[in-house]
Amino acid sequence: MGLVNRRDVFIEWGDCDPAGIVYYPRYLVHFDNATVALFAAAGLPKHEMVKTYDIVGIPMVDTRAKFTIPSRWGETITIESRIAAWRGSSFDVEHKVYKGDALAIEAWETRVWVGRHPDDPDKIKGRPVPDAVKARFA
């Protein structure tokens, strides 16, 4: 299965919509933070990874989620994250959100390992994910 990271998140008032439940785009922020925490757990804090591998970052290019239990202001959720698949320059991250023992959300992201485009520094371009990076998640 590889490295799995768990991160507790307290639901803030500003995360919620008028119905008092988490407004779904806020989960994208939580998932982005969970992905950064996953890489840090693998010994790759983002600020160091960007310098070490001369990349711009790991932007999300596709996402989907299945919501089964809402979360509300004042609750704490646990986000469990792992790399589900590696490809050349892209990879999939799987997030499972728990409220206690109950699975509340399943979410999937595809991200790309990107650097500056060699012909135009104002653009970005996918690069192969280094084997040394992949090995940290085994």
Side-chain angles (χ1 to χ4, degrees):
M1 180 187 234
L3 177 66
V4 175
N5 190 63
R6 289 171 188 81
R7 182 172 192 272
D8 289 338
V9 176
F10 179 77
I11 302 302
E12 301 284 351
W13 178 83
D15 290 324
C16 299
D17 64 14
I21 61 174
V22 174
Y23 182 50
Y24 69 92
R26 293 294 301 155
Y27 282 113
L28 294 178
V29 173
H30 296 310
F31 296 150
D32 188 61
N33 291 336
T35 298
V36 170
L38 174 63
F39 273 79
L44 297 163
K46 190 171 182 180
H47 68 283
E48 291 178 16
M49 185 173 68
V50 168
K51 289 181 198 175
T52 301
Y53 294 99
D54 190 30
I55 60 171
V56 175
I58 51 172
M60 188 185 319
V61 296
D62 188 26
T63 187
R64 69 184 176 96
K66 179 180 175 183
F67 300 89
T68 53
I69 302 172
S71 298
R72 293 178 167 77
W73 175 32
E75 295 178 337
T76 297
I77 58 175
T78 300
I79 304 175
E80 182 178 281
S81 307
R82 71 179 188 91
I83 302 295
W86 293 105
R87 287 178 294 287
S89 62
S90 67
F91 56 96
D92 295 333
V93 182
E94 178 184 76
H95 303 287
K96 291 184 179 182
V97 176
Y98 293 92
K99 286 181 62 176
D101 293 333
L103 180 61
I105 302 167
E106 292 178 280
W108 302 268
E109 308 172 338
T110 298
R111 290 178 174 263
V112 179
W113 188 268
V114 299
R116 296 269 173 224
H117 193 288
D119 300 328
D120 185 348
D122 289 334
K123 294 182 180 178
I124 59 175
K125 183 176 181 178
R127 295 182 180 168
V129 179
D131 289 337
V133 169
K134 294 177 186 178
R136 290 177 176 260
F137 292 87

